[in-house]
């Protein structure tokens, strides 16, 4: 079993006490759950309760569903808008703006307007400030909100506001303790929601977290090669050597232009780790390594 990517010792006591662990993204939440599972197995457990570990957006979505089930008034005001529909509405708003600058393409500015509006909601920026400092966005925002009301739609930030009202009204049960992991900053809307969902004195931010301690420490070395292929081949050979020496270790290789070189990287690493994978009678199997860059749909 490979060593976990998260040192669960920093959260062990809180998880056992039933604390809510909120992470900045799904990947970190998954790694913490995996580390907790390995800890339970190492302790001789064959089954254990699911810990309360969630990415913050997932946690808000779950509580939104609870608000819907409980029939909170604000959940009936609108359906949560999908990113695709939101993009279309912003394009319509910009297209219909009679005062927009000449030659402004709605498709080009819709994404910018959408992201800016989401920021203003999460950071609770008053519309009066937009009117003074960003009149174009302010005008589009007013028109976009009008379309939301017209079609009975709501944004993801509106969903968070409804969940906040659910905790304030006591419809949703408060958390015993909340720990936040992996956040550089927390928007005021989310901060208010987390504080309301928990006892204000029991909200903690775990500022530093680290992988489980490594067995070996090495000095960094710089090695140069004639071309990219030799560089990738050397990296693959180095990785296999370390993997054979310790099959529990985790090896990460950073390739700045991985998307461009993905096919070449996969071929070379396959040849290194599975020399027979191209033989006609060889059964197809998943690669023994993970490549974070995906394959474009057009390919």
């Amino acid at each position: 079993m490979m060593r976990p990517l998260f040192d669960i010792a920093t959260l062990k006591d809180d998880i056992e006490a039933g604390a809510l662990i909120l992470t900045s993204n799904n990947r970190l939440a998954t790694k913490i759950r995996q580390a907790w599972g390995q800890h339970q197995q190492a302790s001789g457990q064959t089954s254990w309760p699911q810990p309360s570990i969630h990415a913050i957006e997932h946690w808000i979505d779950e509580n939104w569903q609870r608000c819907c089930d409980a029939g909170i008034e604000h959940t009936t005001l609108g359906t949560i808008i999908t990113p695709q529909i939101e993009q279309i509405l912003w394009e319509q708003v910009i297209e219909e703006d009679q005062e927009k600058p000449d030659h402004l393409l709605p498709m080009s500015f819709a994404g910018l307007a959408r992201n800016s509006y989401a920021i203003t909601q999460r950071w609770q920026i008053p519309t009066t400030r937009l009117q003074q400092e960003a009149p174009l966005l302010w005008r589009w925002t007013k028109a976009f909100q009008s379309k939301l009301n017209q079609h009975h739609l709501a944004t993801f930030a509106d969903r968070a506001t409804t969940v906040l009202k659910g905790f304030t009204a006591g419809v949703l049960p408060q958390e015993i303790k909340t720990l936040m992991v992996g956040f550089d900053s927390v928007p005021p809307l989310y901060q208010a929601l987390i504080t309301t969902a928990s006892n204000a004195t029991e909200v903690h931010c775990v500022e530093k977290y680290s992988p489980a301690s490594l067995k070996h420490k090495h000095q960094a070395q710089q090695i140069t090669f004639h071309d990219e292929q030799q560089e990738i081949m050397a990296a693959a050979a180095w990785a296999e050597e370390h993997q054979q020496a310790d099959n529990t270790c985790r090896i990460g290789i950073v390739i700045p232009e991985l998307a461009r070189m993905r096919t070449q990287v996969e071929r070379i690493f396959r040849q290194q780790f599975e020399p027979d994978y191209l033989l006609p009678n060889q059964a197809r199997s998943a690669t023994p390594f993970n490549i974070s860059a995906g394959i474009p749909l057009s390919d």
Side-chain angles (χ1 to χ4, degrees):
M1 181 184 298
M2 290 194 296
R3 291 195 298 271
L5 288 174
F6 189 92
D7 185 3
I8 202 63
T10 59
L11 300 176
K12 174 179 172 295
D13 294 340
D14 293 302
I15 294 176
E16 290 177 344
L20 169 66
I21 311 297
L22 291 179
T23 66
S24 55
N25 54 61
N26 285 316
R27 176 169 296 189
L28 180 55
T30 298
K31 297 308 177 186
I32 297 176
R33 283 193 291 267
Q34 290 175 349
W36 178 249
Q38 292 184 14
H39 166 72
Q40 293 293 326
Q41 290 179 327
S43 301
Q45 303 295 325
T46 57
S47 63
W48 51 89
Q50 176 75 10
S52 187
I53 303 170
H54 306 280
I56 188 167
E57 293 289 348
H58 180 259
W59 176 73
I60 292 174
D61 186 61
E62 282 198 347
N63 282 289
W64 160 263
Q65 297 296 334
R66 294 190 181 99
C67 288
C68 292
D69 293 339
I72 291 181
E73 178 182 357
H74 295 85
T75 61
T76 62
L77 298 180
T79 302
I80 299 300
I81 194 170
T82 65
Q84 295 80 9
I85 298 300
E86 186 172 2
Q87 177 75 14
I88 292 174
L89 289 184
W90 278 112
E91 290 181 12
Q92 291 179 353
V93 164
I94 298 173
E95 180 67 37
E96 295 167 1
D97 182 11
Q98 300 297 323
E99 301 179 28
K100 67 178 182 293
D102 295 337
H103 309 300
L104 188 150
L105 298 177
M107 186 177 297
S108 301
F109 281 81
L112 291 173
R114 173 185 161 195
N115 293 335
S116 300
Y117 181 62
I119 291 173
T120 61
Q121 284 193 296
R122 292 192 180 100
W123 289 90
Q124 298 179 326
I125 299 173
T127 55
T128 54
R129 182 174 175 182
L130 286 182
Q131 187 175 8
Q132 297 171 358
E133 300 181 9
L136 194 62
L137 178 61
W138 172 77
R139 193 165 61 247
W140 292 347
T141 295
K142 300 290 286 185
F144 178 72
Q145 291 173 336
S146 176
K147 284 188 176 293
L148 290 179
N149 294 331
Q150 176 185 351
H151 298 289
H152 304 288
L153 298 171
T155 66
F156 284 95
D158 294 329
R159 175 195 60 178
T161 302
T162 299
V163 173
L164 173 60
K165 293 175 180 177
F167 280 110
T168 302
V171 176
L172 300 174
Q174 281 194 319
E175 301 290 342
I176 301 172
K177 183 178 182 180
T178 302
L179 288 94
M180 302 167 64
V181 184
F183 289 88
D184 292 327
S185 61
V186 182
L189 174 60
Y190 287 3
Q191 185 64 63
L193 172 57
I194 295 168
T195 302
T196 305
S198 307
N199 186 325
T201 60
E202 290 295 328
V203 178
H204 304 277
C205 184
V206 181
E207 296 182 356
K208 294 182 179 180
Y209 61 94
S210 59
S213 58
L214 302 177
K215 293 182 178 179
H216 309 288
K217 294 184 181 295
H218 298 282
Q219 293 293 327
Q221 298 181 24
Q222 181 178 0
I223 304 174
T224 59
F225 297 89
H226 293 294
D227 53 35
E228 289 180 346
Q229 179 160 321
Q230 287 190 350
E231 193 173 10
I232 298 170
M233 292 174 64
W238 171 86
E240 185 189 27
E241 178 184 350
H242 283 272
Q243 195 272 337
Q244 289 182 351
D246 181 4
N247 61 8
T248 66
C249 69
R250 291 183 180 270
I251 303 168
I253 298 174
V254 180
I255 302 178
E257 298 185 53
L258 180 57
R260 176 180 64 82
M261 302 163 58
R262 190 189 193 284
T263 302
Q264 184 183 18
V265 169
E266 181 176 3
R267 174 176 53 79
I268 292 175
F269 271 77
R270 276 260 193 182
Q271 290 173 346
Q272 184 69 44
F273 282 86
E274 298 177 310
D276 300 332
Y277 87 102
L278 281 178
L279 294 179
N281 59 348
Q282 186 73 12
R284 297 288 295 174
S285 62
T287 60
F289 48 84
N290 174 63
I291 301 179
S292 60
I295 301 175
L297 181 61
S298 58
D299 295 340

